[in-house]
Amino acid sequence: MIPRPGRAGIIAALDTGAVERAEAWAAALAPHVGCLKLGLEFFVAHGPAAVARIARHAPLFLDLKFHDIPNTVAGAVRSACALRPAMLTVHASGGAPMIEAARRAAEAEGGAGRPAILAVTVLTSTDAATLAATGVPADPAAQVLHLARLALDAGADGLVCAPPEVAPLRAAHGPGPLLVVPGVRPAGSARDDQSRVATPAEAAAAGASWLVIGRPITTAPDPAAAAAAIAAEIAA
Ligand SMILES: O=C(O)c1cc(=O)[nH]c(=O)n1[C@@H]1O[C@H](COP(=O)(O)O)[C@@H](O)[C@H]1O
């Protein structure tokens, strides 16, 4: 399971369908970040063997956002444990039985080195209007707090949330849960499709355990320099 840094660590999101590009990013970024994240685009294109190749460079966050009946999610977690990821994601909206099944499968299959089960609360791309249109009569912050309580009570090791929810979650749950936080944008950088955002320094100061950062690093002219600059910002 991923070590908890004394202050916020950086997870570089390697969002590409190209193995060579992912490998080049992994080699360049590994000295500057604590973890590398591979998600749906890479996994669907290249599968577990290619994930294992990239994971040689640094601890792996395998972000497949499992959301299915408990039995199916348990099987997916068992299969994922073969890659020895440090972290896995499930959707909190899958409910407590699904999260409990994921935690049990990780413990049974992963043993002492099991992956941390992270529950995705409300996607950082989701604004209030988008959430309301799905039929959830709450603002994103309230729904994040609701799903956080459900997920942690069901055995999740941590949560994926947006920067504005970090301080309220720390106030509600203390320093224990891993808070893994995308929607991080250095000052002046484009939001892209993220809707609930903050700078690296703001997210770290609020109490994030890990900052998940993709395009601000991977689309930079020099991704390693971009990662180093963010690392310096949160270390200050
Ligand atoms: O689980 C995630 O990592 C995740 C959850 C979430 O709510 N929002 C979110 O952006 N992510 C991921 O975090 C990364 C953010 O990438 P950038 O927007 O390029 O920094 C992507 O790989 C997303 O899949």
Side-chain angles (χ1 to χ4, degrees):
M1 197 157 87
I2 197 84
R4 180 190 305 283
R7 55 167 66 91
I10 300 172
I11 299 171
L14 308 183
D15 291 323
T16 179
V19 177
E20 295 71 22
R21 184 177 301 125
E23 182 110 58
W25 284 342
L29 297 175
H32 305 285
V33 302
C35 185
L36 299 172
K37 184 173 87 75
L38 292 171
L40 293 172
E41 181 178 10
F42 187 87
F43 190 86
V44 170
H46 301 291
V51 170
R53 174 175 154 185
I54 303 300
R56 290 180 313 197
H57 293 273
L60 169 69
F61 174 5
L62 184 60
D63 172 30
L64 299 179
K65 296 188 177 68
F66 298 141
H67 190 163
D68 210 315
I69 63 172
N71 182 62
T72 299
V73 166
V77 169
R78 285 194 298 272
S79 297
C81 283
L83 289 165
R84 299 189 61 74
M87 307 179 196
L88 285 175
T89 40
V90 300
H91 268 292
S93 55
M98 185 202 79
I99 298 166
E100 289 162 356
R103 172 69 185 261
R104 282 197 301 272
E107 289 175 335
E109 197 69 24
R114 72 171 178 83
I117 300 297
L118 304 176
V120 176
T121 55
V122 176
L123 292 170
T124 52
S125 54
T126 297
D127 60 13
T130 302
L131 184 62
T134 68
V136 175
D139 74 323
Q143 182 66 353
V144 167
L145 285 168
H146 175 76
L147 289 173
R149 169 76 59 194
L150 177 150
L152 294 173
D153 288 350
D157 297 290
L159 305 161
V160 178
C161 68
E165 293 105 37
V166 172
L169 286 171
R170 284 290 179 229
H173 299 288
L178 282 168
L179 297 183
V180 177
V181 182
V184 175
R185 286 295 184 270
S189 59
R191 279 184 172 222
D192 304 306
D193 52 355
Q194 298 290 1
S195 77
R196 306 187 330 272
V197 302
T199 67
E202 289 165 341
S209 309
W210 291 93
L211 309 183
V212 181
I213 305 173
R215 286 161 286 188
I217 292 173
T218 57
T219 65
D222 181 344
I230 292 169
E233 178 184 333
I234 60 180

